[in-house]
Amino acid sequence: MDLLKLIHKELRAEILNKEIIITMLSFGLSIIVIISFTSNLSKQIIEAYAPGLFWLMILFVTVLGVHRSYAYEKEFNAIDLILSAPIDRGLIFIAKALSGFIFITLMQALIVFPYFTFLSIDIDVNFFLLILSTLLINLTLMFVSNLISGISMRARISEILFPVLLFPLISPLIIAATNITNSIINQVPYIEWQVWIYLLISILIVFGLSGYALFDFILEE
Amino acid sequence: MLHIDSISKTFDGKVILDNVNLKIGNSELKILRGKNGSGKTTFLKIIASLMSFNSGRIFFNDIENCKKTTLRKNIFYLGDAPGFYKFLSPLQNIELGLSLRKSDISKEKIILTLNKFDLGNYINKSVGIFSKGMLQRLKFAYASLLDWKVGLLDEPLNGLDDEGVELFNQCIELWIENKQSVLLVTHNTDYITNSKYDTLYLKNKKISS
Amino acid sequence: MFYENKKNLYLLIVAIFLFALNSLNIFYGTPMVPDQHWAQKIFYLHVPSAWVGFLSYFIAMISGFLFLSTKKDKWDITGTACAEIGTLFMSLVLITGPIWATPIWGKPWIWEPRLTTTLILFLTYVGYFMMRSFGGNIERVKKTSAVIAIIAFLNVPIIFFSVQFWSPELQSHPQVEMNQQPTGILIPFLISLFVFSFIFFVMLSYRKYVISINKNLTNNV
């Protein structure tokens, strides 16, 4: 099970230096504070905008976190250790995406309370549905962003190239995520927003498969 | 064991290697020399199937078109870059590399090998604090634990002290005894003049002896 | 030189001639649409530009696939040339779109699916060109930009449908159903489509020539 070994490596790296979670958490918190200062408007506006702002924050946090998870591979050319191994390189992509999924979910669990408290939003929703859909969005987000991060990883200006490439490609996902969370908060029946779930699943399939198939080319010298 | 048949590589239209041929048999060591930028590293990375090439064939054990994973398992490239995770300890790094190569060497044997390379006191320290010479020793320790058939060593003598060179020579002898073969790139003239092995030159995009 | 080859020279002259004829035909040979008046004329430029842009990006994707599988430089050159020409025509779409929209919709920008897809593709290709210029190791840049060309085009249906579901009230593309057009409009439109495609292929062969010349120059220094 090469995949499990690779995921184990990602998790061990994170447990040892906690770079990714701390980066994401501290950046997320500071974004929330800035959002509170800049959106001192009526309560209705904030509540209507809350899902969009939430995913905007998650997108920024993802950029930093995922970039970090590829940056440490470049230090000491450490990635050579797994590139020289006889493994399917597509699995490196899957492992990075799945461990990124764990990190972003963990980070969200920690940040969701300050988010709603600082912005004084009260919601009363179907939490089961909200959590389930958020997990699917996180997974899709990680597949797309890990593919783009792999592409920009060895570029000279990877920290800029990554968001410049990611933001346009990920816009359908952000539209879907905002609409899903919005619909759940406003208790819209599932039948009216199921199309977004289908869209998410198709993004997951397209980017998951192309990432798995193309990662060998991306990492080859 | 390994037969390279007219490999060519262009780098954005510029020819780096032009129909290069090479044969390495069992228990053979060959030294490859060449100027800086003559394409030695490129050549080694192509053999190790870490880099793509434009035309040519690679035979391993007389089989053409081996799967990339087969080549990567049997041909080991030891590069100039450390290639270890900074925050992991030597033990963890080696365990990760070995497990991805499906090798079931015990922890005791790894520790024994690390001791042999004078890294016994650093088994649980992170690799990030290692000096260049220590990293070089760690690379040899890793290489001697793997079960490769052909080793491609890219300037392995850089940053080694006399004791390290001695260890390196022991490794080479052990590998040759084990029917492993080695292609060695080095600029170290002392080493080349004192060694009993064949020397090849990479000149004008071709290999000559 | 390129135009010493007589065939290329004739093709260029034909392209210029056709373009002039086409422009005259658009101004004098097409009927006035009552509620759009002169504004409708831009339709004959806007839609063919979009067609050429998408065709160009499509060829860039195919070249990307071919480059990754064959590693032949000519596919990289074709891909780059298509990316450049595609971006040129996409910018034309993004300029003519608002010019057309202002009198018809009353405002220059509406999040209409086709226009939005064009914008997002254009932005993705901004990242593509950043990769080309600041990517670093040229051999790796060729592979990563082929990958970008592939995923940028695979993303097109996803963007299109996400925008369509996102703002269903904005389906009012001024001239959507081509088969419902009277022949007085359809025939000149098809002529314009042909002329634009012809110009595209002339531009492509010239651009490919210039890129390969550039490569030879830098390699022989």
Side-chain angles (χ1 to χ4, degrees), chain A residues 60-78:
Chain A
F60 288 157
V61 163
T62 303
V63 168
L64 285 199
V66 174
H67 183 259
R68 200 53 234 152
S69 114
Y70 283 80
Y72 77 69
E73 300 283 358
K74 286 194 288 186
E75 290 167 1
F76 269 22
N77 267 5

Side-chain angles (χ1 to χ4, degrees), chain B residues 194-206:
Chain B
N194 291 330
S195 90
K196 55 190 182 221
Y197 303 109
D198 295 350
T199 307
L200 304 169
Y201 295 88
L202 186 59
K203 222 189 282 176
N204 297 330
K205 300 154 194 162
K206 286 199 185 280

Side-chain angles (χ1 to χ4, degrees), chain C residues 28-29 32 50 52 90 95 97 101 103 118 135 150 155 169 176 183 201 216:
Chain C
Y28 301 108
M32 279 290 183
V52 169
M90 286 306 194
I95 294 166
T118 311
I150 292 169
N155 209 24
E169 68 277 16
V176 173
T183 45
F201 285 109
N216 289 340

Side-chain angles (χ1 to χ4, degrees), chain A residues 38-95:
Chain A
T38 53
S39 62
N40 197 3
L41 307 163
S42 74
K43 202 165 180 320
Q44 283 89 341
I45 294 180
I46 294 295
E47 275 181 7
Y49 197 10
L53 275 179
F54 182 76
W55 288 114
L56 186 67
M57 173 192 74
I58 293 300
L59 180 61
F60 288 157
V61 163
T62 303
V63 168
L64 285 199
V66 174
H67 183 259
R68 200 53 234 152
S69 114
Y70 283 80
Y72 77 69
E73 300 283 358
K74 286 194 288 186
E75 290 167 1
F76 269 22
N77 267 5
I79 198 168
D80 284 0
L81 189 65
I82 45 182
L83 289 187
S84 66
I87 49 165
D88 178 356
R89 287 178 176 177
L91 293 179
I92 299 175
F93 166 68
I94 308 278

Side-chain angles (χ1 to χ4, degrees), chain A residues 5 73 76 82 84 220-221, chain B residues 45 68 83 85 99 101:
Chain A
K5 286 172 197 157
E73 300 283 358
F76 269 22
I82 45 182
S84 66
E220 193 180 50
E221 287 190 53
Chain B
K45 283 188 171 176
K68 273 187 185 173
Y85 287 95
S99 74
R101 287 170 167 267

Side-chain angles (χ1 to χ4, degrees), chain B residues 111-129:
Chain B
I111 295 177
L112 219 64
T113 314
L114 285 171
N115 278 330
K116 188 179 143 201
F117 284 88
D118 268 352
L119 295 168
N121 295 332
Y122 299 92
I123 283 175
N124 292 313
K125 302 266 166 37
S126 72
V127 171
I129 58 159

